[in-house]
Amino acid sequence: LIVRKHSTLDNWRIKDLKFTCGPVEAMFKTGTITVASMDKSSPLIKISGLPDAKIIYQKLKEAAFKQRAERKVTGVELSA
């Protein structure tokens, strides 16, 4: 039996984002994004082996800042 689970996380609920890329990941142009959120069911999400991870990281960061500004959410830091 194969089970698939799909969850969503509103960008404004992101507390912190982290991008890492080691030497092997750099060779394959992949990376790891770690997301810390206000979500109670999955407060920490680590996604490894993402192609173009740096681009995805930047887009997530921009979307989180935009939604936080629209919702006037304050007091949360997003890593550079």
Side-chain angles (χ1 to χ4, degrees):
L1 180 64
I2 298 174
V3 177
R4 292 184 187 218
K5 180 180 176 183
H6 297 270
S7 299
T8 59
L9 173 66
D10 292 325
N11 289 331
W12 68 270
R13 295 180 64 84
I14 295 173
K15 290 173 30 177
D16 194 25
L17 284 171
K18 182 179 179 184
F19 168 78
T20 55
C21 180
V24 175
E25 289 176 310
M27 284 180 8
F28 293 101
K29 297 184 180 179
T30 65
T32 300
I33 297 174
T34 305
V35 181
S37 74
M38 294 183 268
D39 187 66
K40 291 181 182 177
S41 64
S42 300
L44 190 64
I45 302 166
K46 188 174 184 177
I47 309 164
S48 300
L50 282 173
D52 298 319
K54 182 74 171 188
I55 294 168
I56 295 168
Y57 164 79
Q58 290 293 344
K59 287 182 179 184
L60 273 172
K61 185 175 166 183
E62 290 169 13
F65 274 121
K66 183 179 177 184
Q67 279 195 2
R68 293 177 61 70
E70 289 172 0
R71 291 179 167 266
K72 297 180 172 74
V73 177
T74 60
V76 176
E77 179 181 333
L78 295 177
S79 298

